[in-house]
Amino acid sequence: MEKYVIQGGKPLRGTVEISGAKNAAVAIIPAAIMVRGVCRLENLPQISDTDTLLHTLTYMGAKVNMINPSTVELDCTHVQMDVLPEDMWVRTRKIRASYYLIGAMLGRFGRARTTMPGGCNFGVRPIDQHLKGLSALGADISLSGGFINATAKNGRLTGTTVYLDKVSVGATINIMIAAATAEGRTVIENVAREPHIVDLANFLNSMGADVRGAGTDVIKIRGVKQLHGGTYALIPDQIEAGTYMAAVAAAGGAVRVANVIPKHLECISSKLREMNVEVEEGDDYVLVRRDGPLHPTNLKTKPYPGFPTDMQPQMTAVLCCAPGVSVVTEGVWNNGRFKYVGELKKMGARIEVEDQSAFLQGVDRLTGAVVRACDLRAGAAMVIAGLAARGETKIEDIVYIERGYQDIVGKFRALGADMRCVDEPDEAQADPACVSAG
Ligand code: EPU
């Protein structure tokens, strides 16, 4: 199996270009199903999740024309439902964002059929708020045989007011997509405010929708009959950028993280500064430098503009190397999202997890080991730990990492890291807590 091999301990230097945002791409590609005409998407990340979704659209009858590796023209004028073969459903099920097909199909066809979503394996991931919102818009929803079936009464959804009981990125996006072509006005209250929510709203508006308030906690949508073609460039990936920033913090050195929106990185930058890392903001880049010892700190994840849960494992890996006591608390996922801690312990980290918090006693240096990527961000944390560690680290199950990081090996190598991808049999002792699943 393919794995990453890292000889750690080399400071990182140079410039890294950040790709388009994964979590914007996985919402915008399904939303393109609703567009009648050619929709050109620029700054798309080249990752396996976007490949899977583009394949799904191709099977549905979309014309998918890759203009260059990060630009695609999609023509969904003649897409159809009920045409996806079983093996495509197996692939689609593996990604969490397949649930956006429900909102998009309902918006386009007035009915939807898709698999129950998969995605990273860090515990129970309910979709009750998605279903509540879509039902409120007039969809009859049933679940059977691992599939979700939904039908809009009278063939078209109808605008209404939806209050989300829990701030959910996915539910906000799904309801927004479905409401874009619903009859009348939809108001969604207590919504998520992540940068990719704003990006999706901007995408929909540039295709003729009328979505207002994205980035605040109330979104108002006036439904339009149909969406038309256009061109849209996705925002850079906040979490990919944060991952490279964390890697510099852990391994030391000085890196220009380019093609970013520094405002989206503010909470990460200020946390790194508390840890004795210099972060200087430019117009579309941040300069990150760490020469001295890391300082311990505490952090708690929250919905945006709070500290992102998708940076929690990476920051935990950095704090493992900050002498002193740090506490990392997970405030978004109720299961703690700490399955990867056992893997960091294999590298000499001193961490105990209790309920929603990890208590860390920083060590001077981690030591290389054979570890596994339990999920996408946990995998990124292993890369960071490996770059900072003394000796060799092998990371298995890298398929998770490749779901969300474009050319991670090439980008770290360009910064001077000794990292390569090899194909050899797995060695890691299976940790039952770190169970890999689609
Ligand atoms: N929740 C519910 N009911 C729902 C939906 C969510 O109770 O119907 C709960 C969840 O259990 C969780 C919280 O609400 O405790 C937040 O979940 P949310 O719906 O916001 O998460 P998501 O949409 O499934 C997206 C990202 C995740 C990221 C979360 C939180 C995508 C495809 N995924 O997931 O990203 O962790 O938002 O920011 O956008 C990743 O990129 O590695 C990743 C896992």
Side-chain angles (χ1 to χ4, degrees), residues 44-89:
L44 261 192
Q46 294 153 57
I47 51 177
S48 60
D49 271 14
T50 51
D51 280 354
T52 304
L53 286 167
L54 289 174
H55 268 100
T56 306
L57 264 57
T58 307
Y59 272 106
M60 290 175 70
K63 288 191 192 130
V64 177
N65 183 11
M66 289 309 297
I67 305 297
N68 64 47
S70 61
T71 303
V72 66
E73 282 183 355
L74 293 173
D75 185 349
C76 291
T77 309
H78 300 295
V79 284
Q80 292 176 43
M81 275 188 53
D82 307 322
V83 286
L84 284 180
E86 190 52 36
D87 62 326
M88 198 58 229
W89 281 125

Side-chain angles (χ1 to χ4, degrees), residues 22-23 96 99 126-129 168-170 310 332-333 377:
K22 162 190 167 268
N23 287 344
R96 180 77 184 156
Y99 50 40
I127 58 165
D128 55 302
Q129 297 302 307
S168 158
V169 169
D310 293 343
V332 174
W333 294 101
R377 307 304 172 188

Side-chain angles (χ1 to χ4, degrees), residues 121-123 338-343 372 374 430-436:
N121 176 41
F122 47 78
F338 287 121
K339 286 185 168 190
Y340 62 91
V341 154
E343 303 302 298
R372 300 171 74 194
C374 306
D431 174 352
C434 173
V435 191
S436 302

